[in-house]
Amino acid sequence: MDIENLKNIWQKKYADVPLQLQKVKNIKTVATAFNTNVDAVLKIKGESLKKLILDNNIPLSSLDNITLTEMHLPTDVILGIVKCFVRGIAEEWVTEDKSIYDWMAQNLGYDRLQMGGQGGIIANTLALLKINKVIAHTNSHPALQAEQFLDLDNLFAIDENGELAKACEISRDNDIPLIHWIIEFDKGDSFNIDGKEFTCPKSNRFIATYDPLNLNLVIDRNFVSYLNNTQIDYLILSGFHPLLARKNGIELIKNAVPLIKQWQKNNPQMITHLEVASTQDLAVRKAIVEYIAPLMQSAGLNERETIDLLNVCDGKDLAQKIERETTAPNLFDALLYLKQKLDIPRLQLHMFGLYLTLQDARFPFSGVENLRGMLTAAVVSSSKAYNGALEKYQDITLTLDVPPSDIGLGELTSLAQKLNKPELAENGICEFNGMFVSAVPTILVDKPKTLVGMGDTISSISLIAGR
Ligand code: GLC
């Protein structure tokens, strides 16, 4: 079938989204944990990056093939930006050195502050979708953090007295604000130093994080006991990714296990989802696979995180193959491999242009339901990219009439061919080795106003709207 016909078929499927959005309103309670912070967002132009390099006397030779993954010096921030800019990739580097934070505050500045952290971003989005009650874990909640929460009556966190309260009105004045720098850059932007050209192949972002609380997985015990005494439908977890093994990261992960188990014991019907996120420390990544993944009913990840997980799950060859060719057929193989390794009932990938889920009979919702969840996620997340933020209910469906992308339709078609399942291209679902595969070509926005938090939005909405 040609791509225009396929596009028409898919555009009709997108017409189901308003109904899914109605169903979402029946969900009673969702909790998000653990990481909430404030993001200071800065769009950097090639020329400003060049100025930073020159002003800080960074030698041209150190810009070749940067392998660093965390910051030890203020100038490492610049290396991180260059690394992501020239490869068009997304990375997050962390530091425990406050002088690096101070350097960023003085030398980078920012365009705006917004909600940060998977937990915080997901809480805002799900509350906007009118789920009855959304509870976010915050280990720091001063007024600056509260201001990043949407002013919604269904959005809660724990206040200074340990009680549940409207998140945007809490002011735990003794807490320190946790600000992460999000440095975004645009595809096609470039700069030239001494005749050497640096061009950005894909719009993306670099995150520089100084955050003593989230980096130590500090958990609010009032939140823990609140969840122990409340019926929860979905628990969406993240925040293990910035931990460092040499800073007790493995112990911190192990310590979270009994908490999660207790919450699950109190809520046997609850679906627990892990948003994998960019995890630089290999030992931490392994510990997430070993201790956290087995407790989950669902997990979400992007192309990069898929490669990262393969690298700690004896899947190096597959990882290299995907590094060379980041295609849906190769990523499908990876997902299949990881699903078995992690033994997780539902695993969802969001790649550029396509969302792909593998699930088995243990997951309580069907492949068709999941497909509708992914369609909903594609609309809401592309509306966010288009609009720059989601602040009002009307914002979530701004792209409802935009057709799915050719890139996504192409990836879907080649996946259907590889699996020898022609029905997958038109229906978006098929069975494979006793599992349910669902895939959706997504809506791509030409000039996205924002990209940060996109994966969090996609994963959480696919999950909760898959019904
Ligand atoms: C990471 C960052 C946070 C950002 C989030 C977006 O958690 O630390 O600042 O908001 O990713 O996904």
Side-chain angles (χ1 to χ4, degrees):
M1 178 181 300
D2 70 34
I3 208 129
E4 284 312 310
N5 281 336
L6 200 56
K7 194 178 280 184
N8 281 335
I9 291 178
W10 276 96
Q11 202 157 8
K12 288 202 187 99
K13 292 197 207 302
Y14 271 99
D16 283 348
V17 169
L19 181 62
Q20 292 313 109
L21 288 169
Q22 287 306 318
K23 292 187 200 164
V24 162
K25 295 181 188 167
N26 298 330
I27 300 172
K28 291 207 177 67
T29 309
V30 179
T32 69
F34 291 94
N35 59 334
T36 299
N37 63 271
V38 178
D39 280 347
V41 185
L42 169 73
K43 174 68 79 63
I44 199 161
K45 291 262 170 269
E47 281 309 312
S48 323
L49 183 51
K50 172 178 172 173
K51 187 166 182 314
L52 278 174
I53 295 167
L54 298 179
D55 288 354
N56 289 280
N57 302 316
I58 298 183
L60 201 52
S61 58
S62 62
L63 302 182
D64 280 343
N65 198 18
I66 300 166
T67 52
L68 208 61
T69 56
E70 49 179 275
M71 300 166 292
H72 305 285
L73 298 168
T75 45
D76 291 345
V77 176
I78 303 172
L79 295 183
I81 307 173
V82 173
K83 182 180 182 187
C84 293
F85 182 98
V86 298
R87 300 187 200 180
I89 58 171
E91 283 194 0
E92 176 172 5
W93 295 5
V94 298
T95 180
E96 300 228 56
D97 183 346
K98 180 155 187 299
S99 69
I100 296 183
Y101 169 87
D102 294 336
W103 183 89
M104 293 195 287
Q106 274 165 22
N107 293 275
L108 295 180
Y110 55 81
D111 303 329
R112 62 180 191 279
L113 295 177
Q114 65 185 35
M115 176 60 91
Q118 277 71 14
I121 293 170
I122 291 171
N124 262 352
T125 313
L126 297 188
L128 191 61
L129 263 60
K130 301 192 183 196
I131 285 171
N132 284 285
K133 191 174 190 180
V134 177
I135 309 160
H137 174 261
T138 51
N139 49 26
S140 154
H141 207 131
L144 192 71
Q145 183 66 65
E147 283 162 21
Q148 314 313 321
F149 279 96
L150 294 173
D151 182 357
L152 295 170
D153 290 337
N154 56 344
L155 180 52
F156 301 91
I158 303 289
D159 71 7
E160 64 279 18
N161 303 317
E163 306 284 339
L164 200 72
K166 192 173 165 183
C168 71
E169 289 174 355
I170 294 172
S171 181
R172 288 165 19 191
D173 287 332
N174 296 328
D175 293 355
I176 50 159
L178 307 170
I179 304 177
H180 299 190
W181 253 265
I182 314 289
I183 301 144
E184 301 186 313
F185 35 81
D186 285 332
K187 176 181 170 173
D189 196 2
S190 66
F191 62 95
N192 188 305
I193 301 179
D194 294 346
K196 190 169 163 43
E197 187 79 8
F198 297 82
T199 307
C200 172
K202 183 169 178 263
S203 301
N204 226 321
R205 84 297 186 278
F206 169 68
I207 305 183
T209 294
Y210 164 79
D211 179 339
L213 298 188
N214 284 310
L215 261 54
N216 289 300
L217 199 67
V218 172
I219 299 175
D220 178 5
R221 60 187 170 78
N222 292 313
F223 178 90
V224 173
S225 51
Y226 188 84
L227 250 56
N228 278 337
N229 295 302
T230 308
Q231 286 307 301
I232 308 283
D233 301 302
Y234 293 88
L235 170 64
I236 302 187
L237 293 179
S238 58
F240 304 105
H241 63 283
L243 304 182
L244 297 171
R246 64 165 193 279
K247 300 292 295 182
N248 213 25
I250 314 297
E251 285 310 308
L252 292 168
I253 288 176
K254 285 189 189 164
N255 291 345
V257 169
L259 296 183
I260 299 170
K261 282 191 175 159
Q262 186 63 43
W263 290 334
Q264 290 176 325
K265 198 167 153 226
N266 295 340
N267 288 284
Q269 302 302 323
M270 178 174 79
I271 295 176
T272 316
H273 171 94
L274 172 70
E275 194 51 26
V276 173
S278 163
T279 313
Q280 300 294 331
D281 188 303
L282 284 181
V284 167
R285 213 187 287 157
K286 276 193 190 134
I288 294 173
V289 169
E290 188 172 347
Y291 302 110
I292 304 295
L295 307 177
M296 299 296 118
Q297 280 80 51
S298 165
L301 73 190
N302 66 18
E303 306 90 314
R304 186 69 243 164
E305 291 149 17
T306 306
I307 295 173
D308 288 349
L309 282 193
L310 287 171
N311 279 324
V312 295
C313 290
D314 304 318
K316 285 216 163 64
D317 291 347
L318 207 45
Q320 279 167 10
K321 198 168 159 196
I322 296 170
E323 290 266 16
R324 285 194 302 272
E325 281 179 273
T326 316
T327 61
N330 287 345
L331 281 157
F332 179 86
D333 289 342
L335 225 52
L336 204 58
Y337 180 87
L338 288 174
K339 180 157 182 334
Q340 269 146 10
K341 278 269 173 186
L342 306 180
D343 189 26
I344 219 158
R346 174 185 182 272
L347 192 57
Q348 181 176 54
L349 165 85
H350 45 94
M351 67 176 285
F352 191 60
L354 192 79
Y355 308 154
L356 177 60
T357 307
L358 279 184
Q359 64 189 74
D360 59 48
R362 290 174 294 172
F363 194 71
F365 292 100
S366 71
V368 181
E369 288 169 317
N370 187 65
L371 183 83
R372 293 193 216 118
M374 295 197 291
L375 291 164
T376 311
V379 170
V380 177
S381 61
S382 57
S383 295
K384 179 173 175 168
Y386 169 79
N387 200 43
L390 299 174
E391 282 162 352
K392 308 182 295 298
Y393 194 70
Q394 300 87 290
D395 293 345
I396 64 178
T397 44
L398 290 172
T399 58
L400 190 56
D401 297 325
V402 178
S405 66
D406 289 357
I407 295 181
L409 292 164
E411 291 289 354
L412 179 62
T413 309
S414 50
L415 179 63
Q417 274 160 3
K418 173 200 160 83
L419 301 180
N420 202 10
K421 301 270 184 190
E423 71 272 23
L424 181 66
E426 288 174 38
N427 302 341
I429 42 173
C430 69
E431 271 189 57
F432 188 87
N433 285 358
M435 271 178 291
F436 305 103
V437 180
S438 44
V440 159
T442 71
I443 297 166
L444 290 177
V445 170
D446 227 6
K447 291 207 167 67
K449 287 207 187 117
T450 183
L451 287 172
V452 67
M454 203 53 87
D456 316 336
T457 309
I458 296 166
S459 290
S460 57
I461 294 180
S462 297
L463 180 75
I464 58 103
R467 47 186 49 245

